[in-house]
Amino acid sequence: MKHKIITIRNDQGFNVEAISPVIISASRATDIPAFYADWFFNRLDKDYLTWRNPFNGKESYVSFAKTRFVVFWSKNPKPLIPFLPILRKKGIGFYIQFTLNDYDAEKLEPGVPTLTERIEIFKTIVDEYGLGSAVWRFDPLILTDKISPDMLFHKISAIAEQLKGYTKKLVFSFADIAGYRSVSRNLCAAGINFIEWNAETMATFACHLANMKLPFKLATCAEKINLSEFGIEHNQCIDPLLIANLSPDDAELLSFLQQAKRDSGQRKLCGCILSKDIGAYNTCPHLCHYCYANYSPQTVIQNFRKHTINSESII
């Protein structure tokens, strides 16, 4: 299955070809809800945007003509909240993959609000839009000389206690630092002494996490290790079941979901179904020290300053 191709008229008045995805991912590459919500809804009003391939630099047009659902990814979706009624009016469904980590004391996420604030934001969204509108992610789980597995259990347990009744699932991943040179470089530059996970420490952690008997399903994101013996599944972050549950009366969307296959454009271990991610690397001012999508803080700040609400793309 591929995205349909249609003809649209761009801001310059030219007819151009555009892909027309049913599901938009906004975005794995940057925090659109926190920093670009106004831009996103401006482009939604314009009916299209442009996206630049991070590997070859090629730009393409993305039309909203067929869009029936948006999966947002965020550590601070508060700026998104005033815009969400627009989706409801347009008949477009959504949920938020809400990364709610507790690295406040360690300052691994210097640009995010306090944990207390973020938990309240999570609850506000679920109170207004219902269970499933926000999915809890503790992502990634990172070990340092100051963060032990026991500390991570404590952090997860404390958040879990406050999210009872507000989410059905906890999605997590283990930080893969060796796989990203820029991550290792940025952590070292910040004076953070990281420790790599291995198969043994991941399995031990998963066993302990399962034994905590948390009131949520447990699932890993794009992890090779099989943890099914502990009742931990491989997640689909673009999740056809959740999408169907949140949009049960959208016949067009349900028809798409029945045919939807795994998104071959994602990492091999990713279980997501087909969507179109519209984000851009080096654009997230959270400046989390472990982020694989930001190569350098200086580049991020430069790109963020150049961004305007009226631009066709984020950068």
Side-chain angles (χ1 to χ4, degrees), residues 12 28 67 84 103 110 138 162 175 204 237 267 271 292:
Q12 292 74 42
R28 298 176 180 90
T67 299
L84 290 174
Y103 295 130
F138 202 117
Q162 297 181 72
T204 300
C237 299
R267 292 174 291 174
Y292 71 91

Side-chain angles (χ1 to χ4, degrees), residues 39-72:
W39 168 82
F40 176 84
F41 282 89
N42 183 48
R43 295 319 307 176
L44 184 65
D45 186 57
K46 302 277 189 182
D47 287 330
Y48 83 94
L49 54 84
T50 60
W51 174 79
R52 183 179 300 146
N53 188 307
F55 302 107
N56 60 23
K58 184 179 179 181
E59 285 195 342
S60 58
Y61 288 93
V62 180
S63 168
F64 290 107
K66 301 288 185 182
T67 299
R68 308 303 309 147
F69 206 91
V70 182
V71 176
F72 294 104

Side-chain angles (χ1 to χ4, degrees), residues 67-270:
T67 299
R68 308 303 309 147
F69 206 91
V70 182
V71 176
F72 294 104
W73 309 68
S74 186
K75 291 178 180 173
N76 175 26
K78 185 176 181 179
L80 178 71
I81 294 173
F83 294 98
L84 290 174
I86 296 173
L87 292 180
R88 182 176 278 175
K89 287 179 183 178
K90 288 180 174 288
I92 297 173
F94 82 94
Y95 63 81
I96 302 169
Q97 288 284 348
F98 196 139
T99 299
L100 196 56
N101 302 333
D102 178 7
Y103 295 130
D104 285 10
E106 297 81 12
K107 303 188 185 305
L108 290 178
E109 301 171 335
V112 302
T114 66
L115 178 62
T116 299
E117 291 176 83
R118 287 176 283 134
I119 289 174
E120 287 308 307
I121 294 166
F122 194 107
K123 290 181 176 180
T124 296
I125 292 166
V126 176
D127 284 339
E128 177 64 26
Y129 293 98
L131 195 60
S133 58
V135 178
W136 177 26
R137 303 175 72 86
F138 202 117
D139 179 24
L141 295 164
I142 186 167
L143 298 177
T144 74
D145 57 349
K146 295 177 181 172
I147 305 175
S148 66
D150 283 345
M151 286 185 66
L152 288 173
F153 293 133
H154 175 76
K155 292 173 184 289
I156 289 171
S157 180
I159 298 173
E161 186 64 29
Q162 297 181 72
L163 291 186
K164 285 180 179 177
Y166 282 90
T167 186
K168 294 182 178 181
K169 183 183 283 187
L170 164 58
V171 181
F172 64 94
S173 71
F174 300 100
D176 178 12
I177 298 168
Y180 300 93
R181 277 187 289 178
S182 62
V183 175
S184 176
R185 183 181 64 247
N186 290 337
L187 285 170
C188 290
I192 297 165
N193 299 313
F194 60 87
I195 300 168
E196 290 280 9
W197 293 89
N198 57 43
E200 182 179 355
T201 55
M202 284 189 280
T204 300
F205 187 93
C207 180
H208 193 157
L209 190 62
N211 288 337
M212 290 171 70
K213 305 297 183 184
L214 297 172
F216 319 115
K217 288 183 179 179
L218 301 176
T220 57
C221 176
E223 290 288 351
K224 181 178 181 179
I225 190 169
N226 185 349
L227 301 174
S228 59
E229 64 180 298
F230 309 113
I232 300 173
E233 61 190 36
H234 291 294
N235 199 48
Q236 286 183 290
C237 299
I238 309 293
D239 183 348
L241 293 179
L242 180 55
I243 293 171
N245 287 339
L246 292 173
S247 300
D249 301 320
D250 189 328
E252 183 179 343
L253 177 60
L254 295 178
S255 176
F256 170 83
L257 294 175
Q258 289 174 357
Q259 306 170 58
K261 305 295 183 183
R262 177 188 167 276
D263 190 344
S264 60
Q266 299 303 318
R267 292 174 291 174
K268 289 183 179 181
L269 298 170
C270 177

